[in-house]
């Protein structure tokens, strides 16, 4: 069965420091995609970054990077130089051949609440 | 700029009422989704649609139905609202065909059933 695990319910980070949010996944699909979303207190889910299972390099988008370790089935999000506006819930999600596929369904983790301290 | 809109940000309904939540996307996406989000449970898929008039049950379809008569519009219906349906409801859309297509979300509707 497909599963996403985020073991950190909440985290604190000092402004301007880097922070890593953990995500592990379980799937038997040979091909899959991994996503990270941010949800500020306003409620809207914002797409941050994507990693394909066959991508040779770790994905990066501005201050966001994905530390993808396929053998360990982990896809941790790294935020560099944290800003106050980074305070939000962060969700890891996955789509595989047998769950989602071309129909686009995602499985979400339960999220990590990040608080950035000034 | 891509856009998914939901008909209401906040909604208060009484037990037993029929409730309609509307979602519209302007990106010509094939796929549309309804999730509910509860503290500690993350996002759970209620229903999704991969084409007009097509629908599939998600993980928690009980007590809900959906309608997709036009490609851009996907409605979630609570036939007889109950207090355990008090939640945040999120609509999303995406292209179909590959693993890498992200979902775009609307702002959410916070529904309270009293």
């Amino acid at each position: 069965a497909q599963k996403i695990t985020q073991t950190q319910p909440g985290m604190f980070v000092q402004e301007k420091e880097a922070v890593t949010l953990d995500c592990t996944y379980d799937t038997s699909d040979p091909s899959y995609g991994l996503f990270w979303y941010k949800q500020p207190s306003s409620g809207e889910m914002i797409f941050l970054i994507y990693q394909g299972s066959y991508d040779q390099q770790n994905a990066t988008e501005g201050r966001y990077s994905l530390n993808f370790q396929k053998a360990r089935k982990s896809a941790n999000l790294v935020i560099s130089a944290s800003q106050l506006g980074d305070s939000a819930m962060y969700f890891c999600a996955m789509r595989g051949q047998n769950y989602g596929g071309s129909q686009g369904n995602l499985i979400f983790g339960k999220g990590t609440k990040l608080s950035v301290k000034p | 700029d891509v856009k998914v809109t939901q008909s209401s940000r906040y909604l208060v309904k009484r037990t037993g009422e029929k409730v309609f939540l509307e979602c519209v996307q302007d990106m010509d996406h094939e796929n549309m989704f309804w999730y509910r989000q509860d503290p500690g449970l993350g996002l759970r898929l209620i229903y999704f649609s991969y084409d007009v008039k097509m629908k599939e049950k998600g993980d928690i379809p009980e007590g809900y139905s959906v309608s997709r008569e036009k490609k851009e519009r996907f409605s979630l219906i609570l036939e007889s609202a109950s207090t355990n349906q008090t939640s945040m409801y999120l609509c999303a859309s995406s292209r179909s065909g590959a693993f890498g297509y992200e979902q775009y979300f609307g702002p959410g509707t916070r529904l309270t059933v009293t």
Side-chain angles (χ1 to χ4, degrees):
Chain A
Q2 316 262 353
K3 188 177 180 182
I4 293 281
T5 302
Q6 295 179 253
T7 57
Q8 306 152 313
M11 286 191 70
F12 288 90
V13 65
Q14 203 68 38
E15 193 178 8
K16 299 181 184 176
E17 291 185 352
V19 62
T20 298
L21 305 183
D22 294 340
C23 172
T24 58
Y25 59 91
D26 190 15
T27 182
S28 57
D29 288 348
S31 299
Y32 49 89
L34 295 154
F35 302 78
W36 276 93
Y37 284 84
K38 172 185 178 181
Q39 187 180 41
S41 57
S42 58
E44 188 167 353
M45 296 280 283
I46 302 165
F47 166 72
L48 295 177
I49 196 167
Y50 166 79
Q51 178 83 44
S53 59
Y54 285 104
D55 292 343
Q56 294 298 314
Q57 292 189 322
N58 286 344
T60 61
E61 288 286 348
R63 293 187 299 111
Y64 304 108
S65 61
L66 205 152
N67 183 2
F68 181 48
Q69 298 186 45
K70 194 171 182 177
R72 298 178 65 180
K73 293 190 174 180
S74 75
N76 299 338
L77 177 71
V78 180
I79 306 174
S80 64
S82 298
Q83 302 172 356
L84 296 178
D86 294 334
S87 294
M89 283 290 290
Y90 289 82
F91 292 93
C92 180
M94 179 176 67
R95 174 185 302 139
Q97 285 177 264
N98 293 324
Y99 187 94
S102 64
Q103 294 175 344
N105 296 358
L106 293 173
I107 293 177
F108 285 84
K110 294 184 178 179
T112 296
K113 184 173 183 179
L114 177 67
S115 299
V116 180
K117 297 188 287 186
Chain B
D1 201 16
V2 297
K3 212 62 166 189
V4 178
T5 57
Q6 294 183 229
S7 49
S8 305
R9 290 301 302 271
Y10 299 94
L11 209 53
V12 180
K13 295 292 182 181
R14 292 192 182 277
T15 302
E17 278 192 84
K18 191 168 186 175
V19 181
F20 293 87
L21 302 182
E22 302 281 330
C23 175
V24 178
Q25 50 97 1
D26 66 359
M27 296 164 281
D28 201 36
H29 284 167
E30 295 83 8
N31 301 325
M32 296 188 75
F33 310 86
W34 275 107
Y35 295 91
R36 67 176 280 176
Q37 183 179 15
D38 302 288
L41 297 179
L43 275 75
R44 293 179 292 167
L45 182 65
I46 305 171
Y47 267 97
F48 68 97
S49 169
Y50 52 90
D51 201 351
V52 174
K53 296 191 186 295
M54 305 304 289
K55 60 186 179 185
E56 293 278 347
K57 293 180 180 179
D59 300 317
I60 51 164
E62 296 79 18
Y64 303 94
S65 62
V66 291
S67 172
R68 193 169 180 199
E69 297 296 318
K70 294 184 178 181
K71 190 175 185 180
E72 68 270 19
R73 189 179 297 268
F74 192 35
S75 301
L76 179 70
I77 303 154
L78 287 65
E79 295 288 344
S80 177
S82 64
T83 55
N84 62 13
Q85 292 177 310
T86 292
S87 187
M88 170 73 114
Y89 290 88
L90 291 163
C91 175
S93 71
S94 77
R95 294 171 61 187
S96 67
F99 299 123
Y101 295 141
E102 68 271 27
Q103 292 185 7
Y104 292 88
F105 283 81
T109 295
R110 193 169 292 280
L111 173 67
T112 302
V113 182
T114 61

